Every structure is written in C-alpha cells, then in structure tokens.
Amino acid sequence: MAVDLPLKGVTVVELGDSAAAPFCGQILGDLGAEIIKIERPDGGDPSRHWGPAFWHGTAATFQSINRNKRSAVVDLKDAAARALIPAKA
C-alpha cells in the first residue's frame, strides 16, 4: 500500500554537516522531502571520517543519517558556485 507522505514534493537543500543538520534532513526526508546535501570540495562532510565503524570506507554514522539524500559538492567560498544553489526550489 502506497502512503502519501506529508512532505512529498518538497525539496530541501541541506547546507550543514556533522550531525545536527544531517539528522534534521534525515527526518525531513523520512517525511517525504527530497534532500540535496551540499558538501565541501575538500573531503565533504567531516562526519564521513568518524568511526569506527566504517562501511565501504565511510563512517556508518554518516551512512545512516545521510540515507536517501542526493549530494553535490559546492565551494561556498566561490560566488559563481554559490549561484548554482537554488534560493527557492
């Protein structure tokens, strides 16, 4: 049986890392939102390296709280790169 989730059709651009912002994104994603995680060009979200435990070379905690998200690398120090992030989806 298909369930209509309350945030289906909503797109969220996640501009945070470590634990708090990704956990919030996880909750919004679980409620049906499409989450686009923006990561740094110099290694991405630092929580990728928290461990142990690792799964396929990335911290299991990172894998868990960033499930079902799309990811893009954007250098937020570059004005042209920032312009690629939609202000409103």
Side-chain angles (χ1 to χ4, degrees):
M1 180 170 87
V3 176
D4 283 333
L5 296 172
L7 296 181
K8 183 178 180 182
V10 173
T11 300
V12 174
V13 177
E14 179 183 294
L15 294 170
D17 59 27
S18 296
F23 181 62
C24 179
Q26 173 192 336
I27 293 168
L28 296 174
D30 289 346
L31 291 171
E34 176 185 12
I35 310 298
I36 303 170
K37 179 179 184 66
I38 305 299
E39 296 194 63
R40 311 168 192 205
D42 60 351
D45 187 328
S47 68
R48 286 180 175 274
H49 310 290
W50 296 352
F54 292 95
W55 184 63
H56 296 278
T58 302
T61 301
F62 175 87
Q63 297 283 359
S64 176
I65 63 176
N66 290 290
R67 68 179 184 265
N68 300 322
K69 296 179 184 179
R70 293 191 306 153
S71 179
V73 174
V74 178
D75 183 356
L76 296 177
K77 295 178 182 177
D78 180 334
R82 280 194 314 270
L84 298 173
I85 300 172
K88 185 176 181 182

